[in-house]
Amino acid sequence: MRPATRALVIVGAGHGGSTLAALLRQSGFDEPVVLVGSETHIPYHRPPLSKKFGAQGFRQDIRPSEFYADNDIELRTGTTVTAIDRSVRTVTLSTGERIEYAHLVLATGSSPRRLTVRGCDTTGVLTLRTVEDAAALARSMAGGGELAIIGGGYVGMEVAAVARSLDVPVTVIEREARILARVASPDLSQMLTDYHRQRGTAIRVDAVVEGILEQGGRATGVELADGSTVTAGTVLVGIGATPDDALAHTAGLACDGGVLVDSSGRTSDPSVFAIGDVARRPIDDSGTLVRLESIPNVTEQAKQVVAALTGLRQPEPEVPWFWSDQFDIKLKIAGLVRPGARIVHRPGKREGSFALYHLGADETVHAVEAANAPSDFIAGKKFISQRIPVSPNALGDPSVSLHEVAGATPVGS
């Protein structure tokens, strides 16, 4: 059903799109809202797919199905936007229908990066992005055999933890010198490597994949460049994701490793916004644009767009943060981990808990990696947002409270 007046059209019915639609209604936005999603499901949470894919009820809807009709949000599932005509402000749907928009929001997300080696399309070689992908992974593992995970990022390590809890033999294959090389400090990488290995996960680093071995049209293992092989009945490829910005690029919007946006989520076209995995956005005063793949990131951007569309005050900038569950470790990371920082280790209140604080030359905290240490995560976010100088000595001493750390005199002052 075509809206009587120009609508706000949201392309992408994931967490970002559905959250934006809900926040708009909560903020009193009363114009037509059309939410277009390519999947046949109503919007659902993606984080449980890698953390709970082997359990019952791993699909968790973000909101009940009746929410959308009750809030006058027109949800189009199983539908894609095939073209944007910015000159007349219309989008064309896969059904052939055209919808006029007053404003357009791209929340198209990202897609798993594909492996491009011999045998990469063999049955049993999987990626993980959708609820169908998670179900396929669970079915394949139930068929028996070992699991090989190509890529030691957060998704790969989360899947490894679930698989080991099910007593499935697992080998993680990482081409870098350590797991989580692009997103975590060497200290955290080593801790997680040791933790996984103690629980039976085989981890091979500096390992380059040469091809997928197969028999009878199904994957049987992974061949590495050094000539060795990893036997596997299931191969999961988790080597990162690429932004789904083809629609924006074709429409002539400024793109460079994602759709470029300002601090309000606006693209190079003032009537078009982009949020979430597909967008590259500023997060500090440096003017540097980054693409972040996290629920907190897309939620913050949704709030920015709501403010821009309703005239409400722009929300205060938030510290980027992420989380990961692996075995009984709950990781929470605030800020962006960058090379060259001084890392201060702070033991936690119980065995196995700790926090790694990343300090700059001015002894302010730039990032914190907290393992089963929620108070350190909360304090770290505060230190980062307020740019509070800290004493490294006090920070590393668990007998000094975090409240006292913030008031301690930095070394060298």
Side-chain angles (χ1 to χ4, degrees):
M1 181 175 180
R2 182 172 177 173
T5 59
R6 286 184 178 268
L8 170 69
V9 177
I10 304 171
V11 186
H15 192 96
S18 62
T19 297
L20 174 60
L23 289 176
L24 282 167
R25 289 300 188 232
Q26 292 171 17
S27 301
F29 186 82
D30 60 2
E31 298 299 320
V33 174
V34 180
L35 178 59
V36 183
S38 59
E39 295 187 61
T40 57
H41 312 285
I42 65 172
Y44 59 87
H45 292 283
R46 294 195 191 276
L49 301 185
S50 59
K51 299 174 176 69
K52 300 180 179 179
F53 66 89
Q56 292 291 328
F58 65 84
R59 175 186 155 183
Q60 301 172 13
D61 294 336
I62 296 173
R63 292 172 180 84
S65 58
E66 61 270 18
F67 170 86
Y68 302 95
D70 290 349
N71 287 273
D72 197 24
I73 297 167
E74 187 176 345
L75 176 60
R76 306 280 193 98
T77 58
T79 306
T80 58
V81 171
T82 59
I84 301 168
D85 188 336
R86 295 194 293 122
S87 65
V88 292
R89 288 191 294 176
T90 65
V91 295
T92 302
L93 306 183
S94 52
T95 60
E97 180 183 0
R98 289 186 179 181
I99 299 178
E100 297 178 340
Y101 65 82
H103 290 94
L104 177 67
V105 182
L106 303 177
T108 48
S110 59
S111 296
R113 192 180 301 278
R114 297 290 173 175
L115 192 66
T116 55
V117 299
R118 170 176 42 82
C120 61
D121 294 325
T122 303
T123 300
V125 179
L126 309 173
T127 56
L128 183 57
R129 178 67 179 173
T130 68
V131 68
E132 286 83 10
D133 293 339
L137 177 60
R139 285 195 305 271
S140 183
M141 286 172 50
E146 301 178 18
L147 170 65
I149 301 173
I150 302 174
Y154 280 120
V155 169
M157 302 315 294
E158 287 170 0
V159 170
V162 174
R164 287 304 302 136
S165 71
L166 299 172
D167 291 326
V168 175
V170 179
T171 300
V172 174
I173 303 166
E174 171 56 54
R175 71 175 182 178
E176 302 293 337
R178 59 184 176 92
I179 64 170
L180 305 173
R182 292 169 291 279
V183 293
S185 67
D187 300 46
L188 182 59
S189 292
Q190 188 60 56
M191 184 279 291
L192 287 173
T193 296
D194 295 342
Y195 207 78
H196 273 267
R197 282 176 172 163
Q198 290 166 9
R199 284 151 185 78
T201 307
I203 298 176
R204 300 189 60 171
V205 296
D206 291 317
V208 177
V209 174
E210 189 77 15
I212 303 298
L213 303 173
E214 61 91 15
Q215 185 174 0
R218 183 170 183 86
T220 58
V222 180
E223 181 182 1
L224 303 182
D226 64 3
S228 63
T229 61
V230 175
T231 302
T234 301
V235 178
L236 177 68
V237 179
I239 54 175
T242 57
D244 287 334
D245 60 359
L247 188 65
H249 191 274
T250 302
L253 297 171
C255 298
D256 182 10
V259 185
L260 306 185
V261 301
D262 64 14
S263 58
S264 296
R266 275 194 174 88
T267 69
S268 54
D269 182 331
S271 66
V272 182
F273 297 77
I275 62 175
D277 292 8
V278 75
R280 282 187 62 204
R281 53 167 292 207
I283 60 167
D284 54 30
D285 299 333
S286 68
T288 302
L289 302 181
V290 297
R291 193 175 72 84
L292 302 177
E293 298 175 13
S294 74
I295 298 300
N297 170 66
V298 74
T299 301
E300 180 185 16
Q301 283 199 289
K303 293 176 182 177
Q304 293 170 348
V305 173
V306 168
L309 292 175
T310 61
L312 296 173
R313 181 179 178 181
Q314 276 285 329
E316 289 296 319
E318 295 184 4
V319 175
W321 66 278
F322 317 82
W323 81 92
S324 177
D325 296 339
Q326 299 176 39
F327 298 109
D328 57 351
I329 296 179
K330 291 189 177 297
L331 290 172
K332 286 192 173 181
I333 301 96
L336 299 180
V337 174
R338 296 186 174 96
R342 175 180 180 180
I343 297 179
V344 176
H345 181 279
R346 182 179 175 88
K349 296 180 179 179
R350 62 187 181 89
E351 185 178 358
S353 66
F354 65 88
L356 302 172
Y357 287 87
H358 297 234
L359 274 58
D362 57 357
E363 294 186 339
T364 60
V365 178
H366 293 177
V368 60
E369 300 168 302
N372 293 335
S375 59
D376 282 282
F377 169 73
I378 293 170
K381 283 187 70 178
K382 180 180 178 181
F383 294 159
I384 296 167
S385 65
Q386 297 184 5
R387 299 180 181 178
I388 300 173
V390 298
S391 163
N393 290 338
L395 190 61
D397 185 350
S399 69
V400 180
S401 73
L402 288 166
H403 178 73
E404 292 173 307
V405 165
T409 303
V411 174
S413 62

